Amino acid sequence: MASIFIRSVSLKRDIQSNVFPFTIPAIEKLKIRFRKHVTFLVGENGSGKSTLLEALVERCGFDAMGGHKHHRFSMDDDSPLAQSLLIDRDVRRPIDQGFFFRAESFFNLASYIDENGNPK
């Protein structure tokens, strides 16, 4: 069986926890162990799902806007949350592979095609 790319994610303990996004309860107490190859983040709007996922992908070397590691849409530095994440990765992780696909990425592509037609 293939190894799990990320085993766990938690916060460094030397962070200033009285500012956003560290005031979000799910982020404030962050400690996730990944045991399966697929993980679902479920919660109410504003519970920190996207905030955590974007920070996690930034920490793993992807652009939070989506795409391959070599596609950079934004030039912003890592978010404070991304810089504060502790990630336990498998030693056999893929070095230069992966893709971060966001629902917004698909929406933007579909909107572009709607406005400009399907390129042939």
Side-chain angles (χ1 to χ4, degrees), residues 11-16 84:
L11 285 180
K12 295 176 183 174
R13 293 296 159 211
D14 60 343
I15 59 165
Q16 184 179 4
S84 300

Side-chain angles (χ1 to χ4, degrees), residues 30-51:
L30 181 65
K31 187 166 187 168
I32 301 173
R33 292 190 57 88
F34 298 100
R35 301 179 194 278
K36 303 287 183 180
H37 293 281
V38 176
T39 300
F40 294 92
L41 300 178
V42 180
E44 299 290 328
N45 288 342
S47 63
K49 301 176 302 290
S50 296
T51 302

Side-chain angles (χ1 to χ4, degrees), residues 11 15-29 47-48 51-52 55 79-82 84:
L11 285 180
I15 59 165
Q16 184 179 4
S17 61
N18 61 348
V19 295
F20 181 84
F22 304 104
T23 54
I24 299 172
I27 303 297
E28 183 179 51
K29 299 172 185 156
S47 63
T51 302
L52 172 60
S79 70
L81 179 56
S84 300

